[in-house]
Amino acid sequence: MTPRVLVTRHVYPAALDLLRPHADVEYRDRRDGETASELTARLHDKVAVVCQLTDPLPAAVLDAAPELAIVANIAVGYDNIDLAAATARGILVTNTPGVLTETTADFTFALLLAVARRVLDADRFVRDGRWQRWEIDLLCGVDVHGKTLGIVGMGRIGRAVARRARGFGMRVLYAGQRDAGEADAERTPLDDLLARADFVSIHAPLTPSTRHLIGARELLCMRRDAFLINTARGPIVDEKALVEALREGRIAGAGLDVFEREPALEEGLLQLDNVVLAPHLGSASVETRTRMCTMAAENVVAHLRGERPPNLVNPRAWEQRRQ
Ligand code: GLV
């Protein structure tokens, strides 16, 4: 029987072109998401699912999918999937690392520059017809070059951000378990980084130990003239505490691409004028998002051919399936 594959929502069609010669593809070509119980109903006869970071795959959903062998997430993060439960059931989980590294680092710098140099204020000012003359202190922001960037989480994306920072003549500090590799950066404990950095940028995965890593206490450790940038995962920052810190001027501003309860925003966030907000766009270039879709499809195709998927995040499940 042809294996049945679910594609949970709208994707770049190149992914479907890869899958269709190998599988009977159920494509839900919609942009809205399904709840865990709706996914449960769709997955009962599927061997594989190509899903996105907003699709919840807790243990209960996996339990209702007896034939499910592979979950291919179109994202580098996979906190939407209960990885331990998948591994215990021998279900392979794959992600899309590497391809989005530079794109996400670019967007991190877009947010950093936008908030430091007030790019959005400037755009609104011109559009509102308020531009009358050149003035010495009109819409002045702060410099980025020559400042100190603190990177929380020195993985692939953290290192790509560090490379950009060197191009801007910034000093780079980092906190995290991984070594900076070739990036010219100083490793330091998180509290020291927070106390010294002009810009703090988060590049850690969301795990139980990074949830609310930046809370009220950490925000207090930051300098009053410092900015927080988050292109990683919203729940790494306590958003309520962040809104309070921004409102009270305990930090200078923030550039946020991710939020605790996307797409809902913490009350008060929209009223603040020292934040730049984006709807989770870190990897959102046509080239990168297309490649992420095809990578997820390639992982499924590899599995259907009996091969090890190239972007496996739980090798133990692979070992289990081979026994
Ligand atoms: C996006 O947030 C991703 O994890 O790829």
Side-chain angles (χ1 to χ4, degrees):
M1 209 174 83
T2 317
R4 304 209 67 205
V5 174
L6 173 67
V7 177
T8 59
R9 61 181 73 197
H10 184 74
V11 290
Y12 280 96
L16 303 168
D17 297 342
L18 287 171
L19 289 168
R20 283 189 170 129
H22 304 273
D24 173 1
V25 179
E26 181 177 319
Y27 178 36
R28 194 176 163 278
D29 188 11
R30 295 182 51 176
R31 289 165 190 275
D32 58 336
E34 288 191 300
T35 61
S37 60
E38 286 162 340
L39 273 178
T40 303
R42 285 188 190 276
L43 282 176
H44 76 278
D45 58 348
K46 305 297 184 306
V47 166
V49 57
V50 175
C51 57
Q52 301 185 26
L53 58 88
T54 41
D55 293 318
L57 287 157
V61 172
L62 303 175
D63 276 338
E67 293 173 39
L68 192 63
I70 176 165
V71 175
N73 213 32
I74 308 179
V76 67
Y78 42 86
D79 45 278
N80 55 313
I81 303 160
D82 185 335
L83 189 67
T87 307
R89 288 156 184 74
I91 298 172
L92 310 174
V93 176
T94 65
N95 67 344
T96 59
V99 62
L100 48 69
T101 301
E102 303 297 330
T103 307
T104 306
D106 285 348
F107 197 69
T108 302
F109 253 84
L111 282 181
L112 189 156
L113 288 165
V115 73
R117 295 300 306 273
R118 305 185 59 186
V119 175
L120 276 83
D121 294 337
D123 181 82
R124 270 190 298 267
F125 183 81
V126 175
R127 284 176 199 275
D128 291 351
R130 287 187 281 146
W131 188 21
Q132 303 291 328
R133 63 188 77 81
W134 189 90
E135 294 172 53
I136 196 75
D137 57 354
L138 179 64
L139 289 165
C140 283
V142 297
D143 278 334
V144 170
H145 70 271
K147 296 287 177 67
T148 299
L149 173 66
I151 295 181
V152 179
M154 198 54 129
R156 280 179 292 256
I157 298 172
R159 289 200 297 273
V161 170
R163 284 196 298 277
R164 282 157 180 75
R166 303 301 302 180
F168 274 83
M170 301 178 90
R171 266 179 305 279
V172 181
L173 310 175
Y174 75 101
Q177 286 154 10
R178 298 205 210 167
D179 195 73
E182 82 286 4
D184 182 8
E186 175 190 339
R187 188 185 218 153
T188 191
L190 179 61
D191 282 4
D192 181 60
L193 177 151
L194 295 171
R196 288 166 62 195
D198 298 289
F199 299 91
V200 174
S201 191
I202 302 175
H203 300 289
L206 175 62
T207 64
S209 62
T210 61
R211 187 172 291 273
H212 282 195
L213 180 68
I214 305 295
R217 191 194 73 80
E218 290 71 24
L219 291 162
L220 261 181
C221 290
M222 285 176 65
R223 295 164 37 163
R224 289 186 89 90
D225 60 354
F227 295 85
L228 180 71
I229 313 296
N230 190 4
T231 53
R233 282 291 183 271
I236 297 175
V237 177
D238 178 343
E239 207 167 290
K240 201 177 192 56
L242 175 63
V243 169
E244 272 168 35
L246 288 163
R247 195 187 280 136
E248 291 168 11
R250 276 188 272 121
I251 64 171
L256 305 175
D257 184 40
V258 289
F259 303 87
E260 261 201 275
R261 289 166 292 277
E262 294 172 14
L265 301 180
E266 180 64 33
E267 206 182 308
L269 196 50
L270 284 181
Q271 283 68 50
L272 297 168
D273 56 14
N274 49 351
V275 286
V276 173
L277 308 170
H280 205 143
L281 296 180
S283 61
S285 71
V286 175
E287 300 94 317
T288 292
R289 287 280 170 88
T290 304
R291 185 68 192 112
M292 288 165 69
C293 290
T294 56
M295 272 176 93
E298 284 162 9
N299 279 294
V300 170
V301 170
H303 166 72
L304 296 176
R305 285 189 170 138
E307 296 160 12
R308 190 184 200 273
N311 307 110
L312 195 57
V313 297
N314 59 346
R316 261 187 42 222
W318 169 253
E319 301 304 330
Q320 242 171 280
R321 296 191 76 81
R322 281 158 54 94
Q323 274 164 22

